[in-house]
Amino acid sequence: MLVGYMRVSTADERQSVDLQRDALIAAGVDERHFYQDHASGSRDDRPGLKACLTYLKAGDTLVVWKLDRLGRSLPHLLEVMGDLRKRGVAFRSLTEAMDTATPHGELLFSLFGALAQFERQLTRERVIAGLAAAKRRGRRGGRPPTIGGEQLEQITAALDGGASKASVCRSFKIARSTLIDTLERTGWHPPAK
């Protein structure tokens, strides 16, 4: 069975699914098997898509007018298509002339998968390079320290003067765990008695 999915980005009257509907009908999709959303492709909560994917069963073919109507990004599109493949559901995009039921469509799908993997690796390499560059400039990742330089000097002076950790926490309004973690990180040790 052919099942059609249509999407337009906004719910206002300016955008219509008529073009997509006409193309799906011309491709042989019965209007009783249409699902649609009026939402941005970047949104996760598309009830029409969710209902469509739930309805599909092995042997069915999901038909869309254009690839960008289905997925919010290449990785999301590949995730959806991978799920369809596992369930035995074919996929057809009319504009791109892609049909996973044909060898040509399978090749295209494999190429998209390879490109997505390549994109993930490039992103990972850029992140690692950016972190290394920041480290060379003296920047550290993570949360900024809760206790700053001047306040830390005052705290260590108070502790060196014999104040208890509990009184320091009350005076400087900091949590005991924060004080202990900061003292460990800076290498402070209590004065010898």
Side-chain angles (χ1 to χ4, degrees):
M1 176 187 325
L2 299 178
V3 177
Y5 176 71
M6 304 171 288
R7 181 184 62 78
V8 289
S9 297
T10 61
D12 66 22
E13 298 296 320
R14 292 175 294 170
Q15 289 192 358
S16 165
V17 294
D18 292 344
L19 172 68
Q20 296 175 55
R21 180 183 303 278
D22 293 345
L24 293 175
I25 290 171
V29 180
D30 187 322
E31 286 191 64
R32 293 175 296 179
H33 303 123
F34 280 170
Y35 292 87
Q36 70 182 44
D37 281 310
H38 292 274
S40 167
S42 64
R43 293 187 54 180
D44 283 336
D45 59 336
R46 289 188 274 162
L49 179 60
K50 186 176 181 179
C52 179
L53 295 175
T54 301
Y55 177 78
L56 289 164
K57 58 188 179 305
D60 289 347
T61 300
L62 175 60
V63 184
V64 295
W65 173 63
K66 201 171 180 185
L67 280 171
D68 69 353
R69 301 295 87 192
L70 179 63
R72 64 179 183 269
S73 64
L74 182 57
H76 177 251
L77 181 63
L78 291 169
E79 177 185 322
V80 170
M81 291 174 61
D83 178 59
L84 294 175
R85 176 189 278 177
K86 278 189 241 171
R87 294 170 43 201
V89 176
F91 174 77
R92 187 184 310 164
S93 173
L94 302 176
T95 305
E96 289 84 7
M98 179 179 177
D99 185 348
T100 61
T102 67
H104 180 276
E106 276 295 312
L107 173 65
L108 266 173
F109 179 73
S110 297
L111 288 174
F112 281 139
L115 287 172
Q117 180 66 28
F118 180 66
E119 177 188 5
R120 284 190 293 273
Q121 289 299 322
L122 285 178
T123 300
R124 184 175 181 277
E125 286 176 11
R126 283 192 299 264
V127 167
I128 290 170
L131 290 172
K135 189 174 184 179
R136 282 192 302 274
R137 288 190 297 281
R139 291 190 182 158
R140 286 190 24 222
R143 283 179 69 174
T146 305
I147 301 173
E150 187 177 318
Q151 188 180 30
L152 182 60
E153 288 175 16
Q154 294 171 351
I155 289 172
T156 54
L159 290 170
D160 289 339
S164 69
K165 289 179 183 173
S167 66
V168 167
C169 290
R170 281 192 303 274
S171 299
F172 289 93
K173 295 181 176 66
I174 56 173
R176 184 173 177 83
S177 60
T178 301
L179 175 64
I180 291 171
D181 289 345
T182 302
L183 293 175
E184 281 181 19
R185 190 178 68 247
T186 59
W188 179 86
H189 296 288
K193 292 185 180 183

